[in-house]
Amino acid sequence: MSTYHPLSEAQAIEYARHIPQLFQPGSDLTSQEIGDGNLNLVFRISEGATGKSIILKQALPYAKVVGESWPLTLDRARIESEALIIEEGLVPDLVPHVYAYDADLALTVMEDLSDHVIMRRGLIEGNQYPLFAEHIGRFMANTLFFTSDLGKNQQEKKIQQGRFINPELCKITEDLIFDDPYRDAETNNIDAAIRDAAEQLWGDSELHFEVAILRNKFLTSAQALLHGDLHTGSIFIKPDSTKVIDPEFAYYGPMGFDIGAVLANLLLNFAAQEGWSKDDASRSAYRAYLTQTVKDVWTHFEENFRALWNEHGVDRVFAAPGYQDYFLLNLLRDTVGFTGAKMVRRVVGLAHVADIDKIEDAAARERAQRLALTIGTAAIRANRQVTSIDELIAIATRAAERGFVL
Amino acid sequence: MSTYHPLSEAQAIEYARHIPQLFQPGSDLTSQEIGDGNLNLVFRISEGATGKSIILKQALPYAKVVGESWPLTLDRARIESEALIIEEGLVPDLVPHVYAYDADLALTVMEDLSDHVIMRRGLIEGNQYPLFAEHIGRFMANTLFFTSDLGKNQQEKKIQQGRFINPELCKITEDLIFDDPYRDAETNNIDAAIRDAAEQLWGDSELHFEVAILRNKFLTSAQALLHGDLHTGSIFIKPDSTKVIDPEFAYYGPMGFDIGAVLANLLLNFAAQEGWSKDDASRSAYRAYLTQTVKDVWTHFEENFRALWNEHGVDRVFAAPGYQDYFLLNLLRDTVGFTGAKMVRRVVGLAHVADIDKIEDAAARERAQRLALTIGTAAIRANRQVTSIDELIAIATRAAERGFVL
């Protein structure tokens, strides 16, 4: 089994059988390939007698979304596994447990979270998750703080950074988020109905200037070990539990990129309520839930992050009066900028979100797309001036109330 | 010879003899250990018959400056050798040629530059180097541009960054430049005469705030492969030639740190003219030469850097209107901040500069120290607001004319 090959379901069962202390010897195991993803095989292996199950996730050497023509390093399985283990050390209740990692097969064996749902689906169904903001705020505060120069030995941080050089997956982000949406790129996926709005983006040099600044931060600002792809499709959730999965894009980057990913996906769903809400009242109510969640995510993040800094800060110099406030203000600004960039790419870039794309009514889908673009571009434009998370919420609320410009 | 041990002069000769195509077989070679440094052995091996000579530089596993108690990685020899080779590929006339690198012995064999002098000494002697600004501006523009996301394939840049994780030597900088001078640290080296000025630094929380921002940039801003220690003691010079040596501190960091190192050491010599100039007229004249050089270094750097960007920029997004100006303005600001930090550490930190310390007259030495501190702290305070290199020059000139506040 030591040479890489994509596993069949039968092989996945055989593999799982040999992991120590997991299943009963000789027990009846079944496997199901449940991956909907573009990059991996995902097997759920279940033991009939006990009901016990695990997930076996194997990286594919190419991206399925564009066929086998886009080869991808299998090293991302190592990155995912190591990132999960680091995260588990910091916030054990908020990630799946890793049972084993096999470098040769690019394979991670981890806790099955089938009792959770993918959060994107939960939001599309109109569910509310009152613990989510606390959970994800704590997840981000702990993972970002304790892998940064604020909370980790600074020499060990550099060595860890060297283990999370992730050129290929970073390039996907660099292209699909920080380049293609702002030009007529072949990879773009643009509904004919909003072609005019996309063309406006391509000609907007003020926007391009802000995107260049954000792109540069993504390329050079090695603040902390990011999840790197923290959208609502990377979050398993149920009312009392939140689990962050899939950190294969992990690398040392700007903290605001992770926070912005969470907020962007909440606001994409906010825009998508053009299609999902039954009436104006329920739309207003669900949007109020989402904007309150945006605020709570930031607030929980900030409170946790400041508390960690005050209690576990490793750097004497960073205790200079005013520096923590300065740092958090800049982080908020980065967050708003990345929120905007993450929204725009989900409307005109290669990979969309189900929140919007699954809206059947074409007019409502178009409204949702234009609203998402309006919020996203306004966030990008505002990012270096904002002083409060309320300003991001105001951008969204105003755009929904007054109509959208794109 | 494959296990590490510090070479004797006789062993250095034997080693040099076996490098292919360098010396005549059986020829008469002599060796001299000429290192004045803290971290390395430096042998000059000469061939009597031909006059041909080379330098054999071997890293020591500790820093001599504080005895053997400060162990240092031998991997820095690899970093130095690889950085020199990268630099030679970009600006072949501005670095010594590398003949060989031996990983086991942590040893680099390179071109002998004995016909040059160390620039710090040249400045102390009152020499002028009219080609220096063009040379060093071109050196920095090329090495910084072509190793950055502006001028290098961005995935290859990340991989190269992984080869230049340099935790131990970065820590020296983090401690000695961005921490110790701003507190009563044991490592500090403070003349009793300026104790009051040092104590002012320790209590100045506005200054500490700015230093925290600069420290954070040094820790997280992976813009380009820096030389990392680009003071006038790392530059060999003669009227028609400039050679940059000793890049063992090389790592991916903020570009302004290298440029600031050059400007700081020019301005340290500017301050040191309190002791070296024979009279007011010669002092004014030499200071005018130094400030003109500060301006020319920046100007040559900027012109070269912009030209490279316009001709060889690899990133479409960074061509956004206004972004190049924005980038250069921020780089100027970083440069001014790092200039200040580099000046302060050379007065109150562990490692001083001969420009000031070799002044025999105690009163003149004290004036030079206070002037350097005045310029350095003013540059740190001004860094995030400056819009022109002239403002840095004005800080220095005003401080020299109106007396100093520290």
Side-chain angles (χ1 to χ4, degrees), chain B residues 163-349:
Chain B
R163 293 190 63 77
F164 286 94
I165 302 283
N166 196 349
E168 287 188 42
L169 274 72
C170 283
K171 179 154 175 63
I172 295 176
T173 303
E174 290 155 22
D175 289 348
L176 298 189
I177 301 185
F178 296 111
D179 186 351
D180 296 351
Y182 306 96
R183 66 187 177 107
D184 187 5
E186 274 192 30
T187 49
N188 285 340
N189 175 7
I190 301 164
D191 279 8
I194 61 153
R195 175 92 193 168
D196 62 305
E199 286 175 357
Q200 271 197 55
L201 297 187
W202 302 339
D204 186 338
S205 60
E206 277 183 46
L207 193 69
H208 298 176
F209 175 80
E210 296 295 339
V211 171
I213 293 172
L214 292 167
R215 177 179 174 87
N216 182 55
K217 285 177 183 164
F218 185 84
L219 286 164
T220 66
S221 179
Q223 287 186 321
L225 181 62
L226 305 189
H227 178 281
D229 195 28
L230 195 46
H231 57 79
T232 46
S234 296
I235 298 168
F236 265 123
I237 201 158
K238 58 180 184 170
D240 60 345
S241 171
T242 305
K243 301 277 188 183
V244 175
I245 61 170
D246 289 357
E248 59 202 27
F249 282 77
Y251 88 111
Y252 265 80
M255 296 181 181
F257 187 76
D258 269 4
I259 314 172
V262 172
L263 303 190
N265 280 271
L266 293 169
L267 292 176
L268 285 162
N269 189 276
F270 175 101
Q273 294 309 316
E274 293 297 318
W276 297 108
S277 293
K278 291 184 199 71
D279 51 44
D280 285 355
S282 65
R283 180 175 300 112
S284 290
Y286 202 68
R287 282 184 170 160
Y289 158 68
L290 291 168
T291 52
Q292 185 62 45
T293 304
V294 165
K295 179 158 176 112
D296 292 347
V297 168
W298 173 260
T299 305
H300 280 290
F301 166 78
E302 181 175 3
E303 285 176 4
N304 277 281
F305 195 84
R306 284 182 186 268
L308 292 172
W309 189 333
N310 294 335
E311 194 170 349
H312 302 289
V314 298
D315 191 304
R316 189 196 72 81
V317 179
F318 292 151
Y323 183 69
Q324 186 179 111
D325 291 342
Y326 172 87
F327 187 97
L328 267 296
L329 175 61
N330 280 289
L331 181 48
L332 172 71
R333 291 173 171 176
D334 287 359
T335 296
V336 170
F338 289 126
T339 298
K342 288 248 173 187
M343 293 185 74
V344 169
R345 65 81 59 117
R346 292 296 190 182
V347 180
V348 298

Side-chain angles (χ1 to χ4, degrees), chain A residues 149 154-155 157-159 161-162 165 167 170-171 174 178-179 182-183 205 208-209 212-213 215-216 219-223 315-318 320-323 326 384, chain B residues 149 154-155 157-159 161-162 165 167 170-171 174 178-179 182-183 205 208-209 212-213 215-216 219-223 315-318 320-323 326 384:
Chain A
D149 289 298
Q154 294 170 345
Q155 276 47 61
K157 177 235 176 184
K158 291 177 182 68
I159 292 164
Q161 187 181 345
I165 301 284
C170 284
K171 178 152 176 62
E174 291 154 20
F178 296 111
D179 186 350
Y182 305 96
R183 64 186 178 107
S205 61
H208 297 176
F209 175 80
I213 293 172
R215 177 179 174 88
N216 183 55
L219 287 164
T220 66
S221 178
Q223 287 186 320
D315 192 304
R316 190 195 72 81
V317 178
F318 292 151
Y323 182 70
Y326 171 88
R384 292 185 298 133
Chain B
D149 289 297
Q154 295 170 344
Q155 276 46 60
K157 177 234 176 185
K158 291 178 182 68
I159 292 164
Q161 186 181 345
I165 302 283
C170 283
K171 179 154 175 63
E174 290 155 22
F178 296 111
D179 186 351
Y182 306 96
R183 66 187 177 107
S205 60
H208 298 176
F209 175 80
I213 293 172
R215 177 179 174 87
N216 182 55
L219 286 164
T220 66
S221 179
Q223 287 186 321
D315 191 304
R316 189 196 72 81
V317 179
F318 292 151
Y323 183 69
Y326 172 87
R384 291 185 299 131

Side-chain angles (χ1 to χ4, degrees), chain A residues 21-23 29 45-54 99 112:
Chain A
Q21 298 177 312
L22 210 52
F23 296 117
L29 299 182
I45 317 283
S46 308
E47 189 174 44
T50 61
K52 198 169 176 180
S53 62
I54 52 116
Y99 296 108
D112 181 19

Side-chain angles (χ1 to χ4, degrees), chain A residues 329-379:
Chain A
L329 176 61
N330 280 288
L331 182 48
L332 172 70
R333 290 172 172 177
D334 287 0
T335 295
V336 170
F338 290 125
T339 298
K342 288 249 176 189
M343 293 184 74
V344 169
R345 65 82 60 118
R346 292 296 191 183
V347 181
V348 298
L350 173 68
H352 289 198
V353 289
D355 313 56
I356 292 176
D357 275 21
K358 298 279 191 205
I359 297 172
E360 287 189 10
D361 180 76
R365 191 169 63 244
E366 180 184 338
R367 286 200 309 277
Q369 290 186 326
R370 289 184 186 272
L371 180 52
L373 280 185
T374 301
I375 298 169
T377 53

